[in-house]
Amino acid sequence: MRRPKSRASRKQQKNNEVQEIDILKEWIESQKPESGSNPLALDPLKSKSPIGRIVDPESGAVSFSSYAGARKFYELPISKRTKNGLERGGFKKMTDIQVASLPHALCGRDILGAAKTGSGKTLAFVIPVLEKLHRERWGPEDGVGSIIISPTRELAGQIFDVLKTVGKYHTFSAGLLIGGRKDVDVEKERVNELNILICTPGRLLQHMDETPNFDCSQLQVLVLDEADRILDIGFKKTLNAIVSQLPKHRQTLLFSATQTKSVQDLARLSLKDPEYISVHEKAVTATPNRLQQTAMIVPLEQKLDMLWSFIKAHLRSKILVFLSSCKEVKFVFEAFKKLRPGIPLKCLHGRMKQEVRLGIYSQFCESRSVLFSTDVASRGLDFNKAVDWVVQVDCPEDVASYIHRVGRTARYLSGGRSILFLMPSEMKMLEKLQAAKVPIQFIKANTKRLEPVSKLLSALLVKYPDMQQLAQRAFITYLRSIFIQKDKEIFDVTKLPIDDYSASLGLPMTPKVRFLNQKKKSKNESEKSTLVESETLDMENESAIAKEELLVEDVKEDKDFLLKDTPDLGEGNANETGDIMSATRILKKKKLKINVHRPVGTRVVFDEEGNTQAPLAMLAEKTSGEIQLDQDKKKEYYKKMREELKQVDKEDKLLERQRLRENRMKKKMKLKKGQREDDEEDDISGSEGEADANKKRKRSKIYFHSDSEEEIKADSISLAEQEQLALKLLNSMHS
Ligand SMILES: Nc1ncnc2c1ncn2[C@@H]1O[C@H](COP(=O)(O)OP(=O)(O)OP(=O)(O)O)[C@@H](O)[C@H]1O
């Protein structure tokens, strides 16, 4: 058992620490690397040269060792606590990105760091975070000192683990704030006591919005891991809202394997003269050297056969398989599981519960198995024991996405292999990869060793009716994922052999897909007319909406795309119900789309060519490529709009009043005419008493509506009064 430290020894420790911090500050300041320099290009320190504070024994002069050329962690101006943590994690020598970025980051500069996957970027930001707070002597009462944002929960969890290892001997409190966990209320109670937050963007914003007294005003360091992903359109609004609540005076560190240099993005984050550190910019390849990459042509209808054969041929490997949608992952996982390939199977996608996701992730880290996944596992994840194979069954959306997917293997010093299935229509992707310095070898598939699974799948679908639905959904969502891709050079849904594809999933009939039919229809029409351009615009619009939906809902309502005659393979008269249901879904979808396009109260402005524009776009001025909006012009525009609206409102009200008056007059005239006839009738037939009763009955049905919508019963006023009222109304109409 460790003996509790005495007060004196605690005091001594504190003094030592204060002394250490003073030395570190002096060291950092005196040996700052030149801004814009690349420490990787400097010669390493000589092996026996003194490190840190050096006192000349003769003159007593004090100097410090240069840390810009450091190759080992102990040569850096970092605290003993961090050094101990690094040692505990087994980290001694720095990787290239660490050598290049740590000297700049330690002296407080903003960093824009790019390095290949698996090259150690996590430590490149975790160390500066710990050191900054240590030097500032950050304590529990100081609140949030650093925020590290990651695009996925699993990655956030992984960063948290690294922080726990390296920061083990520090006293900071750190918290993992990720969505999907139920304990948000517990988090709310504790979040204000945390010094380092590791979070996903959504959960951070939730705390900013909902947690009382949540305070980031003292923030020292902001980190964006997988920065290009966090800065892209999917997180744009969330990130902007987060950044607007952070102090501008802070250090910002951005890291990714595929980095952004977009000035607009950097402006959003208010980076101050960032250091651009791209250690592998001049490298011959964009991917790790130990990664062997291959691609081969696999027609859509053979993809599952090929995947099945591949798995059967690699039963002793750890394989990560990428598919494009949750529903595909679900179907392939469930179907292959039932077919028992002889290796454990797992699946991971964004629609799984958080606890399950984390469980699967750690199981896959530990054991030999096949993990079917969407792109949720494509970035940043460092599976403990090396992944042997990354198989991309569905083509990635772009080169960056490819690089991140294959980056799950061949990490740090280990090797790895990857294979990409490309359909004949996707061959352009190969060119793009080669142009982006991805050394990918094209191989021919050995079809002799292909083990077809389609027949097995058909039998499976008959045996398990639930699987039919899964297969249909997988079918629809795959087509939809192709449909919404931006790069139409590679992804062309019309070129897909959809009947063969449907059969390859074991489906007895091809489900009809609304968006495909629409596209065909509009194509035919466009052939007749020359309105090709407007059709393309429509398609882009559709695809943008579909993508938005896919991002938000993760293909939640694929059923909406099933047409009325979707084959229903269930029992009994389910077909009939299915028909009705899908019809209502189509209607619902149409309605929803109106809302998706145009939230209530938005105004659509068209330019001279009839294209829609943002309402203020016409006011903007374009100077040297940047769009600028004059604030005065904007105010004036809004004022004018308000006045216009008021005027239109007035006119509308006037018109409505007139319409009501006219209606009333018509009714009155009718009434008058009716009464005259009544009187005549009365004169001709019946007794006096009967005539009176009749009059009363008829009159009691009549209601007048005043402008103020009050109701006046007709039989409460006399005929003479009614006539007088009618006259008055007539006069007022003409006046
Ligand atoms: N200096 C080091 N010495 C030894 N191992 C290291 C060092 N730095 C990082 N590693 C190990 O290398 C692996 C990859 O590191 P990390 O996850 O930080 O890579 P990354 O560059 O962030 O990858 P990605 O781009 O995929 O997110 C991890 O297992 C990590 O523990």
Side-chain angles (χ1 to χ4, degrees):
M1 218 174 86
R2 222 195 277 173
R3 284 218 330 256
K5 281 181 185 165
S6 69
R7 233 175 122 188
S9 84
R10 276 207 307 269
K11 201 171 170 191
Q12 181 58 40
Q13 196 187 350
K14 210 171 175 184
N15 286 341
N16 290 346
E17 219 160 76
V18 173
Q19 229 176 10
E20 188 199 37
I21 289 172
D22 288 342
I23 292 174
L24 286 177
K25 281 182 178 170
E26 246 185 288
W27 186 3
I28 289 173
E29 201 50 40
S30 67
Q31 294 296 320
K32 266 185 181 176
E34 222 173 280
S35 182
S37 67
N38 179 6
L40 204 55
L42 299 174
D43 287 336
L45 300 183
K46 289 200 182 96
S47 61
K48 287 203 176 130
S49 48
I51 303 296
R53 190 169 185 266
I54 307 156
V55 186
D56 188 281
E58 282 170 20
S59 65
V62 174
S63 64
F64 291 90
S65 61
S66 156
Y67 59 88
R71 296 293 192 274
K72 296 186 182 116
F73 287 113
Y74 77 84
E75 296 168 348
L76 289 172
I78 55 178
S79 62
K80 201 158 181 289
R81 288 177 190 262
T82 301
K83 281 181 183 162
N84 289 344
L86 286 165
E87 212 174 291
R88 190 170 170 266
F91 304 114
K92 287 189 177 117
K93 267 185 80 181
M94 290 190 264
T95 63
D96 285 357
I97 183 70
Q98 293 157 5
V99 170
S101 67
L102 280 170
H104 288 294
L106 285 170
C107 63
R109 293 181 183 144
D110 286 353
I111 303 279
L112 199 70
K116 291 179 188 179
T117 52
S119 58
K121 293 184 286 291
T122 317
L123 281 183
F125 59 77
V126 164
I127 295 173
V129 164
L130 288 169
E131 285 303 295
K132 174 72 184 169
L133 299 190
H134 177 72
R135 289 198 308 271
E136 294 298 326
R137 306 194 62 207
W138 211 258
E141 67 287 347
D142 294 313
V144 180
S146 178
I147 296 178
I148 301 173
I149 305 180
S150 133
T152 66
R153 300 166 190 176
E154 285 77 8
L155 183 52
Q158 191 179 286
I159 298 169
F160 191 57
D161 290 340
V162 175
L163 185 83
K164 278 195 292 190
T165 307
V166 183
K168 182 171 167 57
Y169 302 103
H170 283 279
T171 52
F172 311 125
S173 52
L176 183 63
L177 310 179
I178 51 180
R181 293 175 350 152
K182 285 185 198 119
D183 44 5
V184 65
D185 290 333
V186 182
E187 269 180 27
K188 281 180 186 172
E189 277 169 28
R190 303 204 45 203
V191 71
N192 280 327
E193 298 158 18
L194 300 175
N195 300 138
I196 303 171
L197 307 180
I198 299 176
C199 38
T200 48
R203 188 57 145 226
L204 175 61
L205 189 60
Q206 187 182 359
H207 280 291
M208 285 179 155
D209 288 347
E210 296 175 6
T211 305
N213 307 325
F214 183 70
D215 181 18
C216 303
S217 59
Q218 297 306 310
L219 187 80
Q220 303 291 307
V221 192
L222 171 70
V223 179
L224 263 59
D225 191 19
E226 304 297 337
D228 58 332
R229 173 77 188 95
I230 296 175
L231 286 165
D232 85 9
I233 194 86
F235 286 117
K236 193 174 177 180
K237 273 190 194 159
T238 314
L239 188 71
N240 286 352
I242 290 171
V243 171
S244 70
Q245 298 185 52
L246 300 178
K248 281 219 164 85
H249 185 75
R250 55 158 203 263
Q251 185 180 15
T252 307
L253 309 174
L254 312 183
F255 282 91
S256 183
T258 45
Q259 192 56 282
T260 178
K261 261 195 184 183
S262 152
V263 178
Q264 268 180 345
D265 285 340
L266 304 184
R268 275 162 67 204
L269 291 169
S270 9
L271 292 196
K272 295 174 294 294
D273 306 325
E275 295 293 329
Y276 293 96
I277 294 163
S278 179
V279 290
H280 300 120
E281 204 169 34
K282 293 200 179 84
V284 185
T285 61
T287 44
N289 297 340
R290 290 179 184 80
L291 175 62
Q292 285 177 41
Q293 304 167 69
T294 42
M296 62 183 180
I297 289 199
V298 183
L300 181 56
E301 66 278 13
Q302 278 180 15
K303 275 187 179 180
L304 289 189
D305 295 343
M306 188 59 80
L307 178 62
W308 177 255
S309 314
F310 182 90
I311 293 173
K312 295 283 280 181
H314 296 88
L315 295 179
R316 306 186 69 78
S317 304
K318 191 161 164 174
I319 307 167
L320 179 56
V321 177
F322 284 105
L323 293 148
S324 52
S325 76
C326 299
K327 301 286 160 60
E328 267 189 285
V329 165
K330 244 178 166 174
F331 171 68
V332 178
F333 166 68
E334 291 294 342
F336 280 21
K337 199 170 72 175
K338 289 189 167 62
L339 298 174
R340 297 173 183 273
I343 181 171
L345 305 180
K346 299 179 171 59
C347 76
L348 189 74
H349 56 77
R351 297 185 71 78
M352 291 165 90
K353 285 210 173 109
Q354 185 53 28
E355 297 75 30
V356 182
R357 262 166 77 167
L358 288 173
I360 302 277
Y361 164 66
S362 33
Q363 278 170 27
F364 187 62
C365 284
E366 294 310 319
S367 63
R368 165 193 65 89
S369 53
V370 180
L371 176 66
F372 299 102
S373 178
T374 56
D375 275 332
V376 76
S378 70
R379 277 180 180 257
L381 293 189
D382 189 52
F383 298 102
N384 204 4
K385 287 198 182 106
V387 172
D388 300 299
W389 279 97
V390 169
V391 182
Q392 303 192 48
V393 174
D394 292 334
C395 185
E397 69 170 310
D398 51 26
V399 173
S401 172
Y402 173 92
I403 290 175
H404 285 282
R405 282 177 173 188
V406 291
R408 295 320 97 210
T409 183
R411 296 179 69 73
Y412 190 49
L413 299 177
S414 50
R417 294 204 259 179
S418 74
I419 185 148
L420 168 67
F421 294 179
L422 284 175
M423 292 188 288
S425 58
E426 291 168 343
M427 284 303 284
K428 196 98 193 151
M429 178 55 104
L430 197 64
E431 282 171 35
K432 293 200 174 188
L433 290 171
Q434 281 161 348
K437 299 202 286 190
V438 174
I440 188 165
Q441 197 194 349
F442 185 70
I443 55 167
K444 252 186 144 182
N446 184 356
T447 42
K448 277 184 206 147
R449 291 183 62 190
L450 210 60
E451 277 190 49
V453 275
S454 308
K455 284 208 179 100
L456 298 176
L457 290 175
S458 303
L460 212 68
L461 264 55
V462 172
K463 192 171 171 194
Y464 302 98
D466 284 358
M467 292 295 297
Q468 290 157 12
Q469 277 218 334
L470 278 186
Q472 278 186 8
R473 289 179 189 177
F475 172 87
I476 303 282
T477 53
Y478 173 71
L479 295 184
R480 199 176 177 201
S481 74
I482 298 291
F483 177 68
I484 64 171
Q485 293 291 352
K486 267 197 229 131
D487 194 341
K488 297 293 175 207
E489 254 189 333
I490 299 174
F491 302 100
D492 186 350
V493 78
T494 59
K495 285 190 185 151
L496 303 182
I498 59 168
D499 293 333
D500 294 344
Y501 173 49
S502 156
S504 75
L505 301 182
L507 286 165
M509 279 166 76
T510 309
K512 282 199 180 157
V513 188
R514 189 170 65 90
F515 60 82
L516 282 188
N517 282 6
Q518 272 182 353
K519 183 167 165 62
K520 271 185 204 152
K521 225 178 110 212
S522 54
K523 218 173 179 180
N524 289 343
E525 276 162 14
S526 75
E527 272 161 18
K528 280 180 212 153
S529 68
T530 50
L531 290 172
V532 184
E533 216 169 301
S534 73
E535 192 236 4
T536 328
L537 268 175
D538 273 359
M539 282 300 301
E540 272 170 9
N541 234 352
E542 267 273 328
S543 118
I545 294 154
K547 179 138 196 172
E548 202 170 295
E549 284 169 1
L550 197 74
L551 279 170
V552 176
E553 302 176 38
D554 211 356
V555 208
K556 197 173 71 196
E557 290 295 333
D558 1 313
K559 274 188 186 168
D560 290 340
F561 287 85
L562 289 176
L563 269 188
K564 221 167 79 174
D565 50 352
T566 303
D568 193 311
L569 308 157
E571 293 159 20
N573 59 358
N575 204 11
E576 205 176 278
T577 353
D579 285 354
I580 297 162
M581 282 177 71
S582 40
T584 51
R585 280 193 206 108
I586 289 163
L587 277 180
K588 257 193 204 164
K589 192 77 194 176
K590 275 186 182 159
K591 256 192 179 169
L592 269 176
K593 272 194 175 167
I594 294 167
N595 289 337
V596 173
H597 277 301
R598 263 189 77 193
V600 178
T602 52
R603 186 179 148 87
V604 180
V605 176
F606 295 88
D607 65 12
E608 280 162 9
E609 271 113 40
N611 302 320
T612 54
Q613 276 202 332
L616 296 177
M618 287 194 297
L619 300 180
E621 274 172 10
K622 234 184 161 190
T623 47
S624 63
E626 276 183 44
I627 293 172
Q628 289 186 340
L629 195 62
D630 186 327
Q631 290 304 316
D632 290 336
K633 265 191 186 175
K634 191 174 134 188
K635 272 185 198 155
E636 208 178 277
Y637 174 78
Y638 278 134
K639 200 176 154 197
K640 211 176 116 197
M641 290 307 301
R642 269 196 297 273
E643 274 162 14
E644 260 179 48
L645 279 175
K646 256 189 203 166
Q647 184 58 29
V648 173
D649 203 21
K650 238 185 197 172
E651 285 166 15
D652 282 349
K653 274 185 184 156
L654 215 81
L655 275 172
E656 176 65 0
R657 240 180 253 152
Q658 258 177 16
R659 195 186 61 80
L660 284 171
R661 272 189 206 131
E662 269 169 21
N663 277 353
R664 271 198 307 271
M665 282 315 301
K666 273 183 202 157
K667 275 184 190 164
K668 290 215 67 171
M669 300 309 279
K670 236 184 188 171
L671 173 78
K672 232 174 142 186
K673 207 174 144 200
Q675 272 167 356
R676 254 189 240 121
E677 281 165 9
D678 277 354
D679 289 345
E680 278 161 20
E681 254 176 50
D682 289 346
D683 286 346
I684 300 162
S685 66
S687 66
E688 237 182 58
E690 226 182 293
D692 275 347
N694 260 345
K695 265 184 220 166
K696 266 194 181 158
R697 228 181 296 137
K698 285 195 177 168
R699 278 176 208 154
S700 66
K701 283 181 198 160
I702 306 162
Y703 293 86
F704 292 96
H705 291 260
S706 73
D707 272 355
S708 61
E709 309 267 307
E710 273 173 24
E711 289 176 354
I712 306 159
K713 261 197 173 172
D715 52 3
S716 65
I717 51 172
S718 68
L719 188 64
E721 279 169 334
Q722 281 178 35
E723 275 174 354
Q724 221 178 1
L725 188 64
L727 257 169
K728 217 166 128 189
L729 279 167
L730 257 174
N731 287 340
S732 72
M733 251 190 79
H734 295 293
S735 63

